[in-house]
């Protein structure tokens, strides 16, 4: 996997002309002092986070997302950033000697993998339920042989070995990718890729992240053949994109297609589990671990933060509070409360299923302290089917609380 510079911690300059300054109050735009970094590092920090500290032992007092940089001299650069509350009061440890500390993360590879075993459409066996139950992804070619010794070997070695066994092309083209998976790689498990008329169609049923530290965790299974352990991020979905991927496994390298197929999970996988290293540390052997919970939580927090901003613009800051007795966002108006529960699944129906028990409990506790009406809003990233026979319509018509769903993408 590639490594990506995602953040930097700087010690604020003491010189008055080099200190932080606000350059656009309306846009919350700030300019940092200047530091000694390479131009390549400065370029890579655009879109990443900056944290400004008075001293290494003190939490950051300002920070945000880097928008641009300015060259002050051949070796010194300053940065323009949008200030964010989440980048304030952040304590950093294990500083190297000097005025800065870089934060790195590894960028995962992205794959689409099938979930059907069998030779033709009439005899396919759906193995996705067993994959989810076992927390693995699997392929069935060269089914009876344990291939653990080939894990991490070159694709040429894998292909050559299987060719010598007279395995078909799809067998070695599948296994060369499967046995090359790395911990942290993101997987989209497809339900099918059957076109709709002349239009290509890829339907995703689950997302997962490969487990492991130095290598993935491979096991040969009597039921599934070759398996690799994963954390499932999202399941029970039907997420459709207009692409055709007919084979068993595909490595996705186009940024546009990664963003389309993996939606908001692509951004969070690429920035998860930051690795802390100094400017001069050798990072060749840095190990990364990602988890489904971590990625899902990052997506949740991004949606919650953006929604909080919009609700405060609509109702005012004093009326909108995050994280009140486990409620994601609570809005208090003169005549009512509104409970907002944020979910990250690409299935709107799953968002509602997961939220219902929580919001009922939150409403029960809140009703003990107020006579105001309580409304309930489930928030998810995708639109919902609200047709007459839909699950959503059934819930709304059969539950005795004012419940609604809203799609809100971060």
């Amino acid at each position: 996997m590639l490594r990506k510079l995602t953040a930097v911690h700087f010690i604020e300059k003491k010189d008055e002309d080099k200190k932080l300054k606000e350059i656009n109050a309306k846009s919350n735009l700030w300019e940092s002092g200047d530091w000694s970094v390479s131009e390549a590092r400065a370029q890579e920090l655009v879109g990443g986070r900056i944290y400004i500290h008075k001293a290494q032992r003190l939490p950051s007092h300002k920070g945000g997302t880097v928008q641009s940089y300015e060259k002050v001299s051949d070796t010194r650069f300053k940065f323009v950033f949008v200030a964010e509350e989440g980048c304030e009061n952040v304590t950093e440890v294990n500083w190297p000697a000097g005025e800065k500390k870089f934060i790195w993360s590894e960028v995962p590879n992205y794959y689409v993998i099938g979930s059907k075993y069998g030779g033709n459409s009439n005899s396919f066996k759906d193995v996705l339920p067993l994959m989810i139950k076992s927390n693995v992804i699997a392929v069935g070619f060269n089914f009876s042989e344990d291939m653990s010794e080939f894990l991490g070997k070159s694709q040429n070695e894998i292909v050559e070995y299987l060719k010598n066994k007279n395995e078909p092309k799809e067998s070695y083209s599948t296994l060369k990718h499967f046995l090359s998976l790395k911990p942290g790689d993101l997987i989209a498990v497809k339900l099918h890729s059957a076109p709709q008329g002349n239009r290509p169609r890829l339907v995703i049923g689950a997302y997962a992240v490969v487990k492991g530290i130095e290598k993935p965790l491979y096991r040969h299974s009597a039921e599934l053949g070759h398996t690799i352990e994963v954390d499932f991020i999202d399941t029970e979905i039907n997420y459709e994109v207009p692409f055709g991927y007919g084979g068993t496994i595909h490595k996705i390298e186009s940024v546009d297609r990664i963003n389309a197929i993996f939606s908001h999970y692509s951004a969070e996988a690429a920035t998860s589990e930051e690795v802390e290293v100094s400017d001069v540390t050798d990072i060749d052997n840095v190990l990364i671990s990602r988890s489904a919970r971590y990625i899902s939580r990052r997506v949740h927090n991004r949606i919650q933060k953006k929604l909080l901003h919009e609700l405060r613009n609509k109702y005012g800051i004093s009326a909108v509070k995050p994280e009140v007795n486990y409620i994601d966002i609570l809005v208090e108006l003169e005549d009512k409360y509104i409970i907002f529960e944020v979910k990250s699944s690409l299935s709107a129906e799953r968002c509602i299923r997961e939220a219902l028990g929580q919001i009922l409990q939150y409403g029960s506790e809140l009703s003990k302290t107020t006579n105001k009406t309580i409304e309930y809003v489930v928030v998810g990233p995708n639109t919902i089917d609200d047709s007459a026979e839909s699950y959503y319509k059934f819930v709304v018509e059969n539950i005795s609380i004012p419940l609604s769903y809203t799609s809100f993408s971060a």
Side-chain angles (χ1 to χ4, degrees), residues 29-50:
L29 214 57
W30 288 70
E31 183 181 84
S32 74
D34 62 87
W35 288 274
S36 176
V37 297
S38 69
E39 186 159 9
R41 289 274 168 85
Q43 288 176 343
E44 199 170 358
L45 278 168
V46 174
R49 297 293 179 87
I50 185 171

mmCIF file with all atom_site columns, all heavy atoms in Angstrom, residues 29-50:
data_model
loop_
_atom_site.group_PDB
_atom_site.id
_atom_site.type_symbol
_atom_site.label_atom_id
_atom_site.label_alt_id
_atom_site.label_comp_id
_atom_site.label_asym_id
_atom_site.label_entity_id
_atom_site.label_seq_id
_atom_site.pdbx_PDB_ins_code
_atom_site.Cartn_x
_atom_site.Cartn_y
_atom_site.Cartn_z
_atom_site.occupancy
_atom_site.B_iso_or_equiv
_atom_site.pdbx_formal_charge
_atom_site.auth_seq_id
_atom_site.auth_comp_id
_atom_site.auth_asym_id
_atom_site.auth_atom_id
_atom_site.pdbx_PDB_model_num
ATOM 1   N N   . LEU A 1 29 ? -11.063 31.520 7.505  1.00 0.00 ? 29 LEU A N   1
ATOM 2   C CA  . LEU A 1 29 ? -9.803  31.202 6.837  1.00 0.00 ? 29 LEU A CA  1
ATOM 3   C C   . LEU A 1 29 ? -8.638  31.805 7.606  1.00 0.00 ? 29 LEU A C   1
ATOM 4   O O   . LEU A 1 29 ? -8.651  32.997 7.955  1.00 0.00 ? 29 LEU A O   1
ATOM 5   C CB  . LEU A 1 29 ? -9.835  31.753 5.407  1.00 0.00 ? 29 LEU A CB  1
ATOM 6   C CG  . LEU A 1 29 ? -9.117  30.973 4.305  1.00 0.00 ? 29 LEU A CG  1
ATOM 7   C CD1 . LEU A 1 29 ? -9.648  29.548 4.207  1.00 0.00 ? 29 LEU A CD1 1
ATOM 8   C CD2 . LEU A 1 29 ? -9.277  31.696 2.974  1.00 0.00 ? 29 LEU A CD2 1
ATOM 9   N N   . TRP A 1 30 ? -7.637  30.993 7.876  1.00 0.00 ? 30 TRP A N   1
ATOM 10  C CA  . TRP A 1 30 ? -6.474  31.418 8.644  1.00 0.00 ? 30 TRP A CA  1
ATOM 11  C C   . TRP A 1 30 ? -5.187  31.138 7.871  1.00 0.00 ? 30 TRP A C   1
ATOM 12  O O   . TRP A 1 30 ? -5.148  30.255 7.016  1.00 0.00 ? 30 TRP A O   1
ATOM 13  C CB  . TRP A 1 30 ? -6.420  30.679 9.977  1.00 0.00 ? 30 TRP A CB  1
ATOM 14  C CG  . TRP A 1 30 ? -7.462  31.131 10.952 1.00 0.00 ? 30 TRP A CG  1
ATOM 15  C CD1 . TRP A 1 30 ? -8.807  30.928 10.879 1.00 0.00 ? 30 TRP A CD1 1
ATOM 16  C CD2 . TRP A 1 30 ? -7.233  31.874 12.142 1.00 0.00 ? 30 TRP A CD2 1
ATOM 17  N NE1 . TRP A 1 30 ? -9.453  31.489 11.941 1.00 0.00 ? 30 TRP A NE1 1
ATOM 18  C CE2 . TRP A 1 30 ? -8.498  32.078 12.750 1.00 0.00 ? 30 TRP A CE2 1
ATOM 19  C CE3 . TRP A 1 30 ? -6.097  32.387 12.772 1.00 0.00 ? 30 TRP A CE3 1
ATOM 20  C CZ2 . TRP A 1 30 ? -8.658  32.769 13.941 1.00 0.00 ? 30 TRP A CZ2 1
ATOM 21  C CZ3 . TRP A 1 30 ? -6.251  33.073 13.972 1.00 0.00 ? 30 TRP A CZ3 1
ATOM 22  C CH2 . TRP A 1 30 ? -7.511  33.262 14.537 1.00 0.00 ? 30 TRP A CH2 1
ATOM 23  N N   . GLU A 1 31 ? -4.146  31.894 8.233  1.00 0.00 ? 31 GLU A N   1
ATOM 24  C CA  . GLU A 1 31 ? -2.826  31.686 7.650  1.00 0.00 ? 31 GLU A CA  1
ATOM 25  C C   . GLU A 1 31 ? -1.846  31.358 8.767  1.00 0.00 ? 31 GLU A C   1
ATOM 26  O O   . GLU A 1 31 ? -1.837  32.007 9.821  1.00 0.00 ? 31 GLU A O   1
ATOM 27  C CB  . GLU A 1 31 ? -2.369  32.945 6.909  1.00 0.00 ? 31 GLU A CB  1
ATOM 28  C CG  . GLU A 1 31 ? -1.020  32.791 6.213  1.00 0.00 ? 31 GLU A CG  1
ATOM 29  C CD  . GLU A 1 31 ? -0.610  34.079 5.531  1.00 0.00 ? 31 GLU A CD  1
ATOM 30  O OE1 . GLU A 1 31 ? -0.038  34.970 6.201  1.00 0.00 ? 31 GLU A OE1 1
ATOM 31  O OE2 . GLU A 1 31 ? -0.895  34.205 4.325  1.00 0.00 ? 31 GLU A OE2 1
ATOM 32  N N   . SER A 1 32 ? -1.044  30.324 8.552  1.00 0.00 ? 32 SER A N   1
ATOM 33  C CA  . SER A 1 32 ? -0.071  29.911 9.557  1.00 0.00 ? 32 SER A CA  1
ATOM 34  C C   . SER A 1 32 ? 1.218   30.708 9.407  1.00 0.00 ? 32 SER A C   1
ATOM 35  O O   . SER A 1 32 ? 1.391   31.481 8.459  1.00 0.00 ? 32 SER A O   1
ATOM 36  C CB  . SER A 1 32 ? 0.236   28.428 9.395  1.00 0.00 ? 32 SER A CB  1
ATOM 37  O OG  . SER A 1 32 ? 1.059   28.234 8.249  1.00 0.00 ? 32 SER A OG  1
ATOM 38  N N   . GLY A 1 33 ? 2.131   30.475 10.346 1.00 0.00 ? 33 GLY A N   1
ATOM 39  C CA  . GLY A 1 33 ? 3.491   30.941 10.154 1.00 0.00 ? 33 GLY A CA  1
ATOM 40  C C   . GLY A 1 33 ? 4.173   30.099 9.094  1.00 0.00 ? 33 GLY A C   1
ATOM 41  O O   . GLY A 1 33 ? 3.547   29.265 8.449  1.00 0.00 ? 33 GLY A O   1
ATOM 42  N N   . ASP A 1 34 ? 5.471   30.273 8.911  1.00 0.00 ? 34 ASP A N   1
ATOM 43  C CA  . ASP A 1 34 ? 6.181   29.467 7.910  1.00 0.00 ? 34 ASP A CA  1
ATOM 44  C C   . ASP A 1 34 ? 7.149   28.509 8.588  1.00 0.00 ? 34 ASP A C   1
ATOM 45  O O   . ASP A 1 34 ? 7.707   28.796 9.650  1.00 0.00 ? 34 ASP A O   1
ATOM 46  C CB  . ASP A 1 34 ? 6.920   30.371 6.912  1.00 0.00 ? 34 ASP A CB  1
ATOM 47  C CG  . ASP A 1 34 ? 7.985   31.235 7.570  1.00 0.00 ? 34 ASP A CG  1
ATOM 48  O OD1 . ASP A 1 34 ? 9.130   30.768 7.709  1.00 0.00 ? 34 ASP A OD1 1
ATOM 49  O OD2 . ASP A 1 34 ? 7.670   32.386 7.947  1.00 0.00 ? 34 ASP A OD2 1
ATOM 50  N N   . TRP A 1 35 ? 7.293   27.355 7.958  1.00 0.00 ? 35 TRP A N   1
ATOM 51  C CA  . TRP A 1 35 ? 8.170   26.313 8.491  1.00 0.00 ? 35 TRP A CA  1
ATOM 52  C C   . TRP A 1 35 ? 9.034   25.717 7.375  1.00 0.00 ? 35 TRP A C   1
ATOM 53  O O   . TRP A 1 35 ? 8.705   25.832 6.180  1.00 0.00 ? 35 TRP A O   1
ATOM 54  C CB  . TRP A 1 35 ? 7.354   25.190 9.124  1.00 0.00 ? 35 TRP A CB  1
ATOM 55  C CG  . TRP A 1 35 ? 6.727   25.573 10.423 1.00 0.00 ? 35 TRP A CG  1
ATOM 56  C CD1 . TRP A 1 35 ? 7.302   25.507 11.658 1.00 0.00 ? 35 TRP A CD1 1
ATOM 57  C CD2 . TRP A 1 35 ? 5.415   26.090 10.619 1.00 0.00 ? 35 TRP A CD2 1
ATOM 58  N NE1 . TRP A 1 35 ? 6.424   25.950 12.614 1.00 0.00 ? 35 TRP A NE1 1
ATOM 59  C CE2 . TRP A 1 35 ? 5.253   26.316 12.011 1.00 0.00 ? 35 TRP A CE2 1
ATOM 60  C CE3 . TRP A 1 35 ? 4.354   26.392 9.763  1.00 0.00 ? 35 TRP A CE3 1
ATOM 61  C CZ2 . TRP A 1 35 ? 4.102   26.822 12.557 1.00 0.00 ? 35 TRP A CZ2 1
ATOM 62  C CZ3 . TRP A 1 35 ? 3.188   26.899 10.305 1.00 0.00 ? 35 TRP A CZ3 1
ATOM 63  C CH2 . TRP A 1 35 ? 3.064   27.109 11.687 1.00 0.00 ? 35 TRP A CH2 1
ATOM 64  N N   . SER A 1 36 ? 10.077  25.061 7.795  1.00 0.00 ? 36 SER A N   1
ATOM 65  C CA  . SER A 1 36 ? 10.978  24.411 6.846  1.00 0.00 ? 36 SER A CA  1
ATOM 66  C C   . SER A 1 36 ? 10.424  23.036 6.469  1.00 0.00 ? 36 SER A C   1
ATOM 67  O O   . SER A 1 36 ? 10.471  22.094 7.266  1.00 0.00 ? 36 SER A O   1
ATOM 68  C CB  . SER A 1 36 ? 12.377  24.259 7.469  1.00 0.00 ? 36 SER A CB  1
ATOM 69  O OG  . SER A 1 36 ? 13.226  23.546 6.597  1.00 0.00 ? 36 SER A OG  1
ATOM 70  N N   . VAL A 1 37 ? 9.870   22.938 5.271  1.00 0.00 ? 37 VAL A N   1
ATOM 71  C CA  . VAL A 1 37 ? 9.395   21.670 4.715  1.00 0.00 ? 37 VAL A CA  1
ATOM 72  C C   . VAL A 1 37 ? 9.708   21.661 3.228  1.00 0.00 ? 37 VAL A C   1
ATOM 73  O O   . VAL A 1 37 ? 9.917   22.716 2.620  1.00 0.00 ? 37 VAL A O   1
ATOM 74  C CB  . VAL A 1 37 ? 7.865   21.485 4.916  1.00 0.00 ? 37 VAL A CB  1
ATOM 75  C CG1 . VAL A 1 37 ? 7.507   21.413 6.380  1.00 0.00 ? 37 VAL A CG1 1
ATOM 76  C CG2 . VAL A 1 37 ? 7.098   22.596 4.240  1.00 0.00 ? 37 VAL A CG2 1
ATOM 77  N N   . SER A 1 38 ? 9.734   20.497 2.642  1.00 0.00 ? 38 SER A N   1
ATOM 78  C CA  . SER A 1 38 ? 9.942   20.416 1.192  1.00 0.00 ? 38 SER A CA  1
ATOM 79  C C   . SER A 1 38 ? 8.657   20.813 0.474  1.00 0.00 ? 38 SER A C   1
ATOM 80  O O   . SER A 1 38 ? 7.563   20.714 1.026  1.00 0.00 ? 38 SER A O   1
ATOM 81  C CB  . SER A 1 38 ? 10.350  18.999 0.786  1.00 0.00 ? 38 SER A CB  1
ATOM 82  O OG  . SER A 1 38 ? 9.258   18.116 0.968  1.00 0.00 ? 38 SER A OG  1
ATOM 83  N N   . GLU A 1 39 ? 8.793   21.266 -0.774 1.00 0.00 ? 39 GLU A N   1
ATOM 84  C CA  . GLU A 1 39 ? 7.597   21.648 -1.522 1.00 0.00 ? 39 GLU A CA  1
ATOM 85  C C   . GLU A 1 39 ? 6.714   20.432 -1.786 1.00 0.00 ? 39 GLU A C   1
ATOM 86  O O   . GLU A 1 39 ? 5.489   20.543 -1.820 1.00 0.00 ? 39 GLU A O   1
ATOM 87  C CB  . GLU A 1 39 ? 7.958   22.337 -2.836 1.00 0.00 ? 39 GLU A CB  1
ATOM 88  C CG  . GLU A 1 39 ? 6.745   22.878 -3.567 1.00 0.00 ? 39 GLU A CG  1
ATOM 89  C CD  . GLU A 1 39 ? 7.058   23.970 -4.560 1.00 0.00 ? 39 GLU A CD  1
ATOM 90  O OE1 . GLU A 1 39 ? 8.250   24.218 -4.821 1.00 0.00 ? 39 GLU A OE1 1
ATOM 91  O OE2 . GLU A 1 39 ? 6.098   24.568 -5.080 1.00 0.00 ? 39 GLU A OE2 1
ATOM 92  N N   . ALA A 1 40 ? 7.335   19.260 -1.952 1.00 0.00 ? 40 ALA A N   1
ATOM 93  C CA  . ALA A 1 40 ? 6.541   18.043 -2.158 1.00 0.00 ? 40 ALA A CA  1
ATOM 94  C C   . ALA A 1 40 ? 5.664   17.766 -0.941 1.00 0.00 ? 40 ALA A C   1
ATOM 95  O O   . ALA A 1 40 ? 4.486   17.400 -1.065 1.00 0.00 ? 40 ALA A O   1
ATOM 96  C CB  . ALA A 1 40 ? 7.464   16.850 -2.417 1.00 0.00 ? 40 ALA A CB  1
ATOM 97  N N   . ARG A 1 41 ? 6.205   17.973 0.271  1.00 0.00 ? 41 ARG A N   1
ATOM 98  C CA  . ARG A 1 41 ? 5.425   17.780 1.492  1.00 0.00 ? 41 ARG A CA  1
ATOM 99  C C   . ARG A 1 41 ? 4.310   18.824 1.578  1.00 0.00 ? 41 ARG A C   1
ATOM 100 O O   . ARG A 1 41 ? 3.185   18.522 1.985  1.00 0.00 ? 41 ARG A O   1
ATOM 101 C CB  . ARG A 1 41 ? 6.340   17.888 2.717  1.00 0.00 ? 41 ARG A CB  1
ATOM 102 C CG  . ARG A 1 41 ? 7.299   16.708 2.862  1.00 0.00 ? 41 ARG A CG  1
ATOM 103 C CD  . ARG A 1 41 ? 6.625   15.552 3.608  1.00 0.00 ? 41 ARG A CD  1
ATOM 104 N NE  . ARG A 1 41 ? 7.410   14.350 3.502  1.00 0.00 ? 41 ARG A NE  1
ATOM 105 C CZ  . ARG A 1 41 ? 8.434   14.042 4.302  1.00 0.00 ? 41 ARG A CZ  1
ATOM 106 N NH1 . ARG A 1 41 ? 8.778   14.871 5.266  1.00 0.00 ? 41 ARG A NH1 1
ATOM 107 N NH2 . ARG A 1 41 ? 9.093   12.917 4.143  1.00 0.00 ? 41 ARG A NH2 1
ATOM 108 N N   . ALA A 1 42 ? 4.657   20.063 1.218  1.00 0.00 ? 42 ALA A N   1
ATOM 109 C CA  . ALA A 1 42 ? 3.648   21.129 1.260  1.00 0.00 ? 42 ALA A CA  1
ATOM 110 C C   . ALA A 1 42 ? 2.478   20.805 0.336  1.00 0.00 ? 42 ALA A C   1
ATOM 111 O O   . ALA A 1 42 ? 1.305   20.965 0.703  1.00 0.00 ? 42 ALA A O   1
ATOM 112 C CB  . ALA A 1 42 ? 4.280   22.463 0.876  1.00 0.00 ? 42 ALA A CB  1
ATOM 113 N N   . GLN A 1 43 ? 2.776   20.325 -0.861 1.00 0.00 ? 43 GLN A N   1
ATOM 114 C CA  . GLN A 1 43 ? 1.728   19.950 -1.818 1.00 0.00 ? 43 GLN A CA  1
ATOM 115 C C   . GLN A 1 43 ? 0.866   18.824 -1.266 1.00 0.00 ? 43 GLN A C   1
ATOM 116 O O   . GLN A 1 43 ? -0.364  18.837 -1.382 1.00 0.00 ? 43 GLN A O   1
ATOM 117 C CB  . GLN A 1 43 ? 2.358   19.509 -3.148 1.00 0.00 ? 43 GLN A CB  1
ATOM 118 C CG  . GLN A 1 43 ? 2.951   20.639 -3.952 1.00 0.00 ? 43 GLN A CG  1
ATOM 119 C CD  . GLN A 1 43 ? 3.658   20.143 -5.204 1.00 0.00 ? 43 GLN A CD  1
ATOM 120 O OE1 . GLN A 1 43 ? 3.977   18.948 -5.325 1.00 0.00 ? 43 GLN A OE1 1
ATOM 121 N NE2 . GLN A 1 43 ? 3.933   21.032 -6.136 1.00 0.00 ? 43 GLN A NE2 1
ATOM 122 N N   . GLU A 1 44 ? 1.515   17.855 -0.638 1.00 0.00 ? 44 GLU A N   1
ATOM 123 C CA  . GLU A 1 44 ? 0.790   16.688 -0.144 1.00 0.00 ? 44 GLU A CA  1
ATOM 124 C C   . GLU A 1 44 ? -0.121  17.036 1.033  1.00 0.00 ? 44 GLU A C   1
ATOM 125 O O   . GLU A 1 44 ? -1.117  16.363 1.280  1.00 0.00 ? 44 GLU A O   1
ATOM 126 C CB  . GLU A 1 44 ? 1.780   15.592 0.264  1.00 0.00 ? 44 GLU A CB  1
ATOM 127 C CG  . GLU A 1 44 ? 1.160   14.222 0.342  1.00 0.00 ? 44 GLU A CG  1
ATOM 128 C CD  . GLU A 1 44 ? 2.181   13.110 0.514  1.00 0.00 ? 44 GLU A CD  1
ATOM 129 O OE1 . GLU A 1 44 ? 3.395   13.397 0.532  1.00 0.00 ? 44 GLU A OE1 1
ATOM 130 O OE2 . GLU A 1 44 ? 1.758   11.949 0.647  1.00 0.00 ? 44 GLU A OE2 1
ATOM 131 N N   . LEU A 1 45 ? 0.209   18.112 1.748  1.00 0.00 ? 45 LEU A N   1
ATOM 132 C CA  . LEU A 1 45 ? -0.595  18.511 2.900  1.00 0.00 ? 45 LEU A CA  1
ATOM 133 C C   . LEU A 1 45 ? -1.895  19.201 2.514  1.00 0.00 ? 45 LEU A C   1
ATOM 134 O O   . LEU A 1 45 ? -2.802  19.319 3.344  1.00 0.00 ? 45 LEU A O   1
ATOM 135 C CB  . LEU A 1 45 ? 0.216   19.425 3.821  1.00 0.00 ? 45 LEU A CB  1
ATOM 136 C CG  . LEU A 1 45 ? 1.171   18.712 4.782  1.00 0.00 ? 45 LEU A CG  1
ATOM 137 C CD1 . LEU A 1 45 ? 2.122   19.697 5.433  1.00 0.00 ? 45 LEU A CD1 1
ATOM 138 C CD2 . LEU A 1 45 ? 0.381   17.943 5.841  1.00 0.00 ? 45 LEU A CD2 1
ATOM 139 N N   . VAL A 1 46 ? -2.016  19.663 1.279  1.00 0.00 ? 46 VAL A N   1
ATOM 140 C CA  . VAL A 1 46 ? -3.261  20.297 0.839  1.00 0.00 ? 46 VAL A CA  1
ATOM 141 C C   . VAL A 1 46 ? -4.389  19.265 0.910  1.00 0.00 ? 46 VAL A C   1
ATOM 142 O O   . VAL A 1 46 ? -4.299  18.182 0.338  1.00 0.00 ? 46 VAL A O   1
ATOM 143 C CB  . VAL A 1 46 ? -3.134  20.871 -0.588 1.00 0.00 ? 46 VAL A CB  1
ATOM 144 C CG1 . VAL A 1 46 ? -4.491  21.387 -1.070 1.00 0.00 ? 46 VAL A CG1 1
ATOM 145 C CG2 . VAL A 1 46 ? -2.101  21.987 -0.624 1.00 0.00 ? 46 VAL A CG2 1
ATOM 146 N N   . GLY A 1 47 ? -5.448  19.601 1.640  1.00 0.00 ? 47 GLY A N   1
ATOM 147 C CA  . GLY A 1 47 ? -6.538  18.657 1.892  1.00 0.00 ? 47 GLY A CA  1
ATOM 148 C C   . GLY A 1 47 ? -6.373  17.892 3.182  1.00 0.00 ? 47 GLY A C   1
ATOM 149 O O   . GLY A 1 47 ? -7.303  17.242 3.660  1.00 0.00 ? 47 GLY A O   1
ATOM 150 N N   . GLY A 1 48 ? -5.168  17.958 3.792  1.00 0.00 ? 48 GLY A N   1
ATOM 151 C CA  . GLY A 1 48 ? -4.914  17.299 5.058  1.00 0.00 ? 48 GLY A CA  1
ATOM 152 C C   . GLY A 1 48 ? -5.149  18.250 6.229  1.00 0.00 ? 48 GLY A C   1
ATOM 153 O O   . GLY A 1 48 ? -5.609  19.378 6.070  1.00 0.00 ? 48 GLY A O   1
ATOM 154 N N   . ARG A 1 49 ? -4.794  17.803 7.427  1.00 0.00 ? 49 ARG A N   1
ATOM 155 C CA  . ARG A 1 49 ? -5.053  18.576 8.636  1.00 0.00 ? 49 ARG A CA  1
ATOM 156 C C   . ARG A 1 49 ? -3.774  19.248 9.135  1.00 0.00 ? 49 ARG A C   1
ATOM 157 O O   . ARG A 1 49 ? -2.679  18.686 9.033  1.00 0.00 ? 49 ARG A O   1
ATOM 158 C CB  . ARG A 1 49 ? -5.600  17.668 9.737  1.00 0.00 ? 49 ARG A CB  1
ATOM 159 C CG  . ARG A 1 49 ? -6.943  17.029 9.397  1.00 0.00 ? 49 ARG A CG  1
ATOM 160 C CD  . ARG A 1 49 ? -8.045  18.078 9.318  1.00 0.00 ? 49 ARG A CD  1
ATOM 161 N NE  . ARG A 1 49 ? -9.327  17.500 8.975  1.00 0.00 ? 49 ARG A NE  1
ATOM 162 C CZ  . ARG A 1 49 ? -10.178 17.003 9.863  1.00 0.00 ? 49 ARG A CZ  1
ATOM 163 N NH1 . ARG A 1 49 ? -9.860  16.977 11.133 1.00 0.00 ? 49 ARG A NH1 1
ATOM 164 N NH2 . ARG A 1 49 ? -11.345 16.521 9.476  1.00 0.00 ? 49 ARG A NH2 1
ATOM 165 N N   . ILE A 1 50 ? -3.950  20.435 9.728  1.00 0.00 ? 50 ILE A N   1
ATOM 166 C CA  . ILE A 1 50 ? -2.850  21.145 10.366 1.00 0.00 ? 50 ILE A CA  1
ATOM 167 C C   . ILE A 1 50 ? -3.263  21.446 11.803 1.00 0.00 ? 50 ILE A C   1
ATOM 168 O O   . ILE A 1 50 ? -4.418  21.807 12.065 1.00 0.00 ? 50 ILE A O   1
ATOM 169 C CB  . ILE A 1 50 ? -2.500  22.446 9.594  1.00 0.00 ? 50 ILE A CB  1
ATOM 170 C CG1 . ILE A 1 50 ? -1.262  23.119 10.190 1.00 0.00 ? 50 ILE A CG1 1
ATOM 171 C CG2 . ILE A 1 50 ? -3.678  23.405 9.551  1.00 0.00 ? 50 ILE A CG2 1
ATOM 172 C CD1 . ILE A 1 50 ? -0.738  24.272 9.346  1.00 0.00 ? 50 ILE A CD1 1
#
